[in-house]
Structure formats: structure tokens, C-alpha cells
């Protein structure tokens, strides 16, 4: 056999299937999960920090004492008690009744990914334009590409998306007679870049989109995981109109339960519920009850503090190891929260081409190409620090540094001398020049 697989169903697939490609991250999971590999690739929270005994007792009680409801069908919008709990969680970030946050306008989803898929189903026709930060979340790119939309990236720097570049992208689309359906953004502890949009830029971005009549889709999975003081107010806490807000419990409680939500304008809410019912009938009643019970009976605010402390320590372990062990010329962001560091390789190196050699050295990362719709990002890579313990992070960086050094040595022989340059450690929001995120 040739090793290739002939697909007898090719001529039967819908046209939109042609835009579906495998996620760079998912493709790594089988390798990165091997115990001998130090994985800096995924985005898994450290769920072992949860009070697992107490959580286990609660889950057992949901089946034993409330199984008649928790194992039954539910309603498409999500359980009212959970939607009330979600509003309590959002209020911690400033999205409260004062800015029109109501359980009536919350739609419970199967994680943040279904939330994105519903947005795509509601708003995107083939050929539509979506503006998104460059780089951006790989799962969002999969949704937009499956909807046959065109994703155009707006560059970022250490202070987040560049407002002037956003305004220019909107103006360019207008001159071409194109309609931008929405601007997709992760403004707080961005995935993958780790940068945070500054307060001043948040207001400017909202004003630019409002003037252009463009919807803002704000994805906020990490906003409550800040290490260096409170995060800036979410966009939805600053303006109630023209913003659809998405979040999830996957990063702050348990990703295995697959519970997220959308806060949307009332008219949009109705269509979201219809689309969700057509897709899944209703979210899991058991998973919803588990999150509701967690919020009602456990000190979830204290748990957030625990996560912040653990992730701060692991972030520090990662950036310290990068400074200590990496060859000159590699640069990186130092996030004020979230789960990720975005690193730029020395000039001339390709993170995707380097990946097989990294796996051979028993370390995994995500190549930057996975975070661009246009094939960019080959000189960058994403590193996760939330899951491995500090000593494992340092060992992973040691292995990765060896791979980078080998790449530079090879390049010096076959492709010219290695680039000169010193380490640059940049904290988003500082006045220091940041790594090139374009």
C-alpha cells in the first residue's frame, strides 16, 4: 500500500468541508501526551489544584440525589440557576446589571468552542470578512474557515491590537466594497500572544467599530486569571451595544464539563437559542448542575486566587528558564495573566519545520502557523505554562534550547551566520519595544 487513503466520498462532501483543516494543536496531542515528552503545547488548566474530593462528592450527589433532573433533557438556553450563577461570575469582572447583564440574555453552550460555532452560524455567509488579531485562537480560525469566511488579521504589539491598523483594515474593506461582519478579539491575556489590550486602546477599538457599524465578538476565557493586579474592564463592561461576549468555565473550573456561555443582545439571544437547539437540542443538564453546584457550595473565588498563584509561579519559571537557557536572538512576551507565552525565533528559523526535531528531543510546543489564517507565524511558537510543574517547565526549555541551538548551528553552516541580538523580556503595557507579533 502507498500509505495514502483514497476517500470515496470526496464528491459528496459539502463545499464548506474544503475549508476544514486539522488543528495544529490537536495534531500534537497524541505525541505531546507521551510521558517522556515535556509538553509546552496544550492549554490545559491545572485541575489537580481543585478540591477534588469535595468536587467528587458533589458530583456523586448530583446523580444519586438529583438524577431525575440532572440526567434528563434540559432547555435550549440553559438552566435558569446556572444563568444566574454566570451573571454572578461576570459581575466579578465588571459585567453586571449596571451594564445590562441579565440571565435572560445568557445562552449556555458546550464550552467556548460551541459559542464560537454559534456565532459563525448566525453571522457568516461564504465570502464574508472577519477581522481578527494576528495571531489569534486556532479554534476560532477553524470555525470561521468552516463557514467559508475570509479572515484578515490585524497586527498587535505589546499593548494589544493596534487601533490604527484596525481602522485601516475596515477602511480597506470599505473601499473594496466588502462587508466586515465582525471583529473577533481576545483582549485580555490573549491566546496565543499573552498580551493585554490597554485601557486606552479598549475605548478606541470600541469607538472605531461603532463608527464602522461592525459587531465586536469578545472572547474572554482568561480574564479572571490575572497575576499582576486586576485586568482591565472587559469591552462588554464598557459598552452594552454592538458586543457579543463569550466565556467558559474550562479555564477557571473544569474543561471536562464543557460549559461555556454567550451574553448577547436580546434579539441575538433568541436566534442563538434556535441555532443551539438545532445543533445539540440542549446543553448537558448534568454538566450544568455540576457548575451550578460548584458556584453555590464551594469557595470558587478563593479557587481563582489559587489558580492565579500557581500560574504566576509557572509563568515565572518559564520566562526565567527562557532567559537563562535560550540562545541570543529569541524573544518572548511576559504575560500579566492567562496561560501562554508567545516566542519569536531568531531570524531565519521556522517553528513548523523545527517541530519534528523538537519531538525527537522530547519537548512539544505549538508552531505559530496554527494561529494565522494566511500561513504566517512560521517564525513564532506558543508555549504553555499552566500544566507542567516549574521543574518540568525548565527541563522542557532546556531541551527546546538545545533544538534551537542545533538549528542555528545548521543555519550557520548552510544558510549564513546566526543572527545577533540579546534577549528581550517584555511585559505587555511597558514602554519597551515588544517582539514582532505580526
Amino acid at each position: 500500500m502507498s500509505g495514502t487513503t483514497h476517500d470515496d466520498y470526496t464528491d459528496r462532501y459539502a463545499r464548506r468541508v474544503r475549508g476544514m483543516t486539522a488543528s495544529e494543536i490537536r495534531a500534537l496531542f497524541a505525541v505531546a501526551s507521551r510521558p517522556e515528552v515535556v509538553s509546552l503545547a496544550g492549554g490545559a488548566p491545572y485541575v489537580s489544584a481543585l478540591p477534588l474530593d469535595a468536587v467528587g462528592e458533589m458530583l456523586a450527589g448530583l446523580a444519586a440525589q438529583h438524577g431525575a433532573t440532572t440526567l434528563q433533557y434540559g432547555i435550549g438556553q440553559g438552566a435558569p440557576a446556572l444563568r444566574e450563577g454566570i451573571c454572578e461570575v461576570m459581575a466579578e469582572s465588571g459585567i453586571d446589571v449596571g451594564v445590562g447583564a441579565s440571565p435572560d440574555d445568557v445562552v449556555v453552550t458546550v464550552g467556548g468552542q460551541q459559542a464560537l460555532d454559534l456565532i459563525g452560524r448566525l453571522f457568516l455567509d461564504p465570502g464574508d470578512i472577519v477581522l481578527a488579531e494576528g495571531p489569534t485562537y486556532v479554534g476560532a480560525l477553524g470555525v470561521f474557515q468552516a463557514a467559508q469566511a475570509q479572515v484578515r488579521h490585524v497586527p498587535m504589539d505589546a499593548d494589544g491590537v493596534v487601533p490604527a491598523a484596525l481602522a485601516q483594515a475596515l477602511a480597506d474593506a470599505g473601499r473594496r466594497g466588502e462587508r466586515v461582519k465582525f471583529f473577533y478579539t481576545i483582549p485580555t491575556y490573549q491566546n496565543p500572544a499573552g498580551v493585554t489590550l490597554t485601557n486606552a486602546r479598549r475605548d478606541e477599538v470600541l469607538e472605531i467599530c461603532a463608527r464602522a457599524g461592525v459587531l465586536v465578538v469578545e472572547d474572554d476565557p482568561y480574564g479572571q486569571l490575572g497575576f499582576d493586579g486586576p485586568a482591565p474592564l472587559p469591552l462588554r463592561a464598557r459598552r452594552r451595544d454592538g458586543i457579543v461576549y463569550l466565556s467558559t468555565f474550562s479555564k477557571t473550573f473544569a474543561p471536562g464539563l464543557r460549559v461555556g456561555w454567550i451574553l448577547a443582545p436580546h434579539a441575538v439571544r433568541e436566534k442563538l437559542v434556535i441555532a443551539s437547539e438545532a445543533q445539540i437540542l440542549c446543553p448537558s443538564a448534568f454538566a450544568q448542575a455540576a457548575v451550578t453546584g460548584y458556584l453555590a457550595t464551594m469557595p470558587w473565588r478563593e479557587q481563582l486566587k489559587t489558580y492565579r498563584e500557581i500560574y504566576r509561579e509557572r509563568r515565572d519559571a518559564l520566562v526565567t528558564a527562557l532567559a537563562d537557557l535560550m540562545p541570543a536572538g529569541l524573544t518572548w512576551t511576559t504575560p500579566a495573566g492567562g496561560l501562554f507565552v508567545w516566542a519569536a525565533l531568531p531570524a531565519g528559523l521556522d517553528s513548523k519545520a523545527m517541530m519534528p526535531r523538537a519531538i525527537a528531543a522530547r519537548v512539544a510546543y505549538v508552531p505559530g502557523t496554527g494561529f494565522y489564517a494566511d500561513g504566517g507565524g512560521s517564525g513564532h511558537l506558543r508555549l504553555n505554562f499552566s500544566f507542567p510543574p516549574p521543574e518540568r517547565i525548565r527541563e522542557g526549555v532546556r531541551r527546546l534550547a538545545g533544538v534551537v541551538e542545533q538549528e542555528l548551528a545548521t543555519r550557520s553552516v548552510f544558510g549564513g551566520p546566526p543572527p545577533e541580538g540579546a534577549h528581550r523580556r517584555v511585559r505587555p503595557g511597558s514602554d519597551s519595544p515588544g517582539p514582532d507579533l505580526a
Side-chain angles (χ1 to χ4, degrees):
M1 295 185 64
S2 65
T4 60
T5 301
H6 177 69
D7 188 346
D8 293 328
Y9 302 94
T10 298
D11 61 346
R12 295 173 172 85
Y13 292 133
R15 284 190 292 273
R16 61 182 169 273
V17 173
R18 298 171 190 166
M20 294 182 180
T21 57
S23 161
E24 298 270 5
I25 299 174
R26 297 292 170 190
L28 285 169
F29 272 7
V31 173
S33 61
R34 296 175 187 167
E36 70 273 15
V37 174
V38 178
S39 178
L40 304 174
Y46 187 60
V47 294
S48 295
L50 289 166
L52 293 178
D53 289 346
V55 171
E57 290 178 9
M58 179 194 70
L59 295 177
L62 292 177
Q65 301 167 27
H66 306 286
T69 54
T70 61
L71 301 179
Q72 188 54 273
Y73 287 114
I75 61 174
Q77 187 176 351
L82 177 56
R83 287 187 276 121
E84 290 173 4
I86 287 169
C87 284
E88 185 178 351
V89 170
M90 289 191 295
E92 293 288 309
S93 300
I95 304 174
D96 56 22
V97 66
V99 294
S102 165
D104 290 341
D105 292 328
V106 171
V107 178
V108 178
T109 61
V110 182
Q113 194 64 28
Q114 194 213 1
L116 283 166
D117 190 70
L118 291 174
I119 296 299
R121 287 170 183 264
L122 255 63
F123 290 105
L124 295 179
D125 290 313
D128 280 343
I129 307 300
V130 173
L131 297 183
E133 295 146 342
T136 193
Y137 170 51
V138 64
L141 289 177
V143 167
F144 304 152
Q145 290 166 340
Q148 297 179 285
Q150 300 180 50
V151 178
R152 298 209 178 123
H153 291 291
V154 183
M156 294 187 293
D157 60 20
D159 292 332
V161 72
V162 179
L166 175 61
Q168 187 63 53
L170 288 166
D172 290 345
R175 279 194 296 271
R176 288 190 290 261
E178 299 168 332
R179 185 180 181 191
V180 176
K181 283 293 183 73
F182 54 79
F183 171 49
Y184 170 72
T185 177
I186 311 169
T188 307
Y189 316 136
Q190 203 254 9
N191 176 9
V195 300
T196 296
L197 189 64
T198 61
N199 275 305
R201 285 193 180 183
R202 287 175 188 241
D203 294 331
E204 194 173 353
V205 164
L206 287 174
E207 186 58 33
I208 289 168
C209 290
R211 285 200 307 265
V214 169
L215 183 70
V216 175
V217 176
E218 179 180 16
D219 199 354
D220 189 26
Y222 315 103
Q224 294 185 335
L225 295 176
F227 315 143
D228 303 323
L233 283 176
L235 303 180
R236 180 58 182 79
R238 298 160 185 266
R239 184 170 295 183
R240 61 192 299 174
D241 298 322
I243 301 173
V244 176
Y245 177 86
L246 320 179
S247 194
T248 178
F249 289 102
S250 291
K251 308 305 183 186
T252 57
F253 177 28
L257 291 172
R258 310 305 303 128
V259 177
W261 73 90
I262 304 174
L263 176 66
H266 193 76
V268 176
R269 186 282 314 265
E270 289 294 325
K271 293 179 176 59
L272 285 169
V273 174
I274 293 169
S276 183
E277 288 174 339
Q279 191 180 54
I280 62 166
L281 289 182
C282 62
S284 162
F286 188 87
Q288 291 182 82
V291 176
T292 303
Y294 175 74
L295 295 176
T297 65
M298 297 191 185
W300 58 271
R301 292 177 180 85
E302 292 302 314
Q303 184 62 44
L304 284 174
K305 293 179 182 178
T306 299
Y307 276 135
R308 292 179 193 126
E309 291 167 2
I310 290 171
Y311 296 159
R312 181 191 297 111
E313 179 188 25
R314 295 181 179 196
R315 175 205 62 183
D316 292 346
L318 177 56
V319 298
T320 298
L322 290 171
D324 291 346
L325 302 173
M326 279 292 173
L330 187 134
T331 64
W332 57 89
T333 57
T334 302
L339 309 182
F340 306 109
V341 162
W342 182 244
L345 290 167
L349 300 193
D350 185 318
S351 61
K352 191 167 186 177
M354 192 174 76
M355 190 69 208
R357 289 178 281 281
I359 294 299
R362 296 170 298 147
V363 61
Y365 58 84
V366 183
T369 50
F371 304 99
Y372 285 90
D374 56 9
S378 62
H380 294 77
L381 50 89
R382 192 192 75 177
L383 303 172
N384 167 257
F385 54 81
S386 61
F387 192 75
E391 63 277 8
R392 190 78 168 156
I393 289 172
R394 189 172 182 88
E395 173 60 19
V397 172
R398 186 192 67 78
R399 297 177 187 181
L400 183 58
V403 174
V404 174
E405 288 169 351
Q406 289 177 349
E407 293 291 298
L408 288 171
T410 300
R411 184 175 180 274
S412 70
V413 173
F414 298 103
E420 296 181 358
H423 298 297
R424 285 186 296 164
R425 287 168 288 167
V426 179
R427 185 173 301 280
S430 73
D431 294 330
S432 302
D436 179 13
L437 297 177

